[in-house]
Amino acid sequence: MKQKSLKLNFIMNAILTMSSFIFPLITFPYVSRILQPVGTGRVAFATSLITYFNMFAQLGIPTYGVRACAKVRDNREELTRTAHELLFINLFMSLLSYIGLGAALFFIPRLREEKALYLVISLTIFLSAVGMEWLYKALEQYTYITVRSITFKFAALIAMFLLVHEKDDYVIYGGITIFASSASNIFNWIHARKYIDRKWIGNYHIKKHLKAIFIFFSMACATMIYTNLDAVMLGFMKTDEDVGYYNAAVKIKTILVSIVTSLGTVLLPRVSYYVEHGQMDKFREISAKALNFVVLAAVPLMIYFMIFARYGIYFLSGSAYEGSILPMQIIMPTLLFIGITNILGIQILVPLGKEKIVLYSEIAGAVTDLILNTLLIPPFASAGAALGTLAAEFVVLIVQYAALKDLVKNLFQKISYGKIVTGILLGILGSVWIRGLPLGNFAILLISAVFFFGIYGAVLLISKEELTVELTDQILRKMLHRK
């Protein structure tokens, strides 16, 4: 199968990332003001809880499937067999997951009270299974993924404004979020016949996947614990309102993380292909660029949104979410931690077959998060949950770096830290004064972002930061070529 252009993949994934940014940017200010912290908190709690059931149904297939299918993508019969094997496992585990969810809704009063909401959100379990997103990522079909995703997000956007009007419409809001994120998976199922056969081809070897899948499943478990445990523990230990505050902060962080990790997402199938075919020089070169990109993007985003957290929260959610400001400031450094571990773990360790190290790092993070949440949520509520997540992500980074120190030390040394710090400091000086102007939240965010990131980018260009210059040259050449 012909390899897709990495540049095209990155552009498509960047557009997909932007759509993931624009959709909540438009909808969340509207929804948060109507549903208030209690309503958005209920949906966030339900979504976090259902995520655990979906994680059980998916096992480790979303990550393992990309690697497994990428290795055999040049052979249609083997690709079909691999996809069938993984789909069989996924569907069987989804059935078990629904049985477990049914028991939880029957026996736990806290869940039974909102049964309709949980059933609606649980549709993501079935849709994730039949969507086989891992197949499309292995084949690097990012143009298809992007067009499909944006189409459904646009439809969901219209539905949001038409159907959500009162505080009690939180179940409808939950359903629309599932429609936006997962309903397009039905088309994945239909479209898959272009790449794999539907007929039973036999000679299946499901057992060969189980060991690796369970390692990836354990990784997913550990990750889910410290990424979703906060909202679940807040819901049980505190109130829906506290979950709502925390959710507003996390929603902004999640959008920014998707920007920072956008390059690593499209690289996994390619680096797996390089490792499989022994092209280690290309593997190291692409890893170095990805790591540089993460630091260049994550550090300024982290600093900017810590300084302008109040305006970001007020613009997206309204003054009722003042309790979200401190959690957002605390959680922002995770942009850098997650960005780096996405490269070290998913792009370097996994293709090298060292996923056990990723597992150990995430177990360490999960244990850290669980202990700190237990200690900090009772006195500090959403701020305590944010501290737990911050510490957990840092522990994951330390463990992965320690395991790869000899391999990645040179990659970190190539990053132009002085140029980045200079750009950020000048960006702060050039934008912080805007907070004193008598303007609305959106105007302050817009003007300050233009000054901050404009100055930061200019400093990188003037100081000839290598990756910035390379990307700028590529963009200018494309623009001139089109003219």
Side-chain angles (χ1 to χ4, degrees), residues 168-273:
D168 293 335
D169 290 340
Y170 59 88
V171 176
I172 298 174
Y173 167 61
I176 292 173
T177 60
I178 297 304
F179 177 85
S181 63
S182 302
S184 58
N185 286 353
I186 295 294
F187 286 88
N188 281 14
W189 173 258
I190 297 170
H191 189 64
R193 74 181 79 178
K194 181 177 178 181
Y195 309 108
I196 62 173
D197 299 322
R198 291 284 176 79
K199 65 182 181 181
W200 182 276
I201 61 173
N203 198 25
Y204 294 116
H205 301 286
I206 289 177
K207 286 185 179 180
K208 73 178 182 180
H209 301 292
L210 296 182
K211 181 179 178 181
I213 280 178
F214 279 113
I215 291 175
F216 280 101
F217 172 59
S218 301
M219 289 163 50
C221 285
T223 303
M224 287 296 179
I225 285 175
Y226 67 80
T227 55
N228 288 279
L229 187 65
D230 307 323
V232 174
M233 291 184 73
L234 272 171
F236 279 115
M237 299 171 72
K238 288 293 188 176
T239 66
D240 287 331
E241 187 174 21
D242 290 310
V243 180
Y245 291 145
Y246 186 69
N247 179 58
V250 169
K251 190 169 286 289
I252 295 174
K253 183 211 80 169
T254 302
I255 292 169
L256 298 176
V257 164
S258 67
I259 296 172
V260 172
T261 60
S262 58
L263 181 61
T265 301
V266 304
L267 291 179
L268 177 58
R270 185 63 57 88
V271 294
S272 296
Y273 185 88

Side-chain angles (χ1 to χ4, degrees), residues 70 110 121:
R110 170 84 162 81
I121 300 294

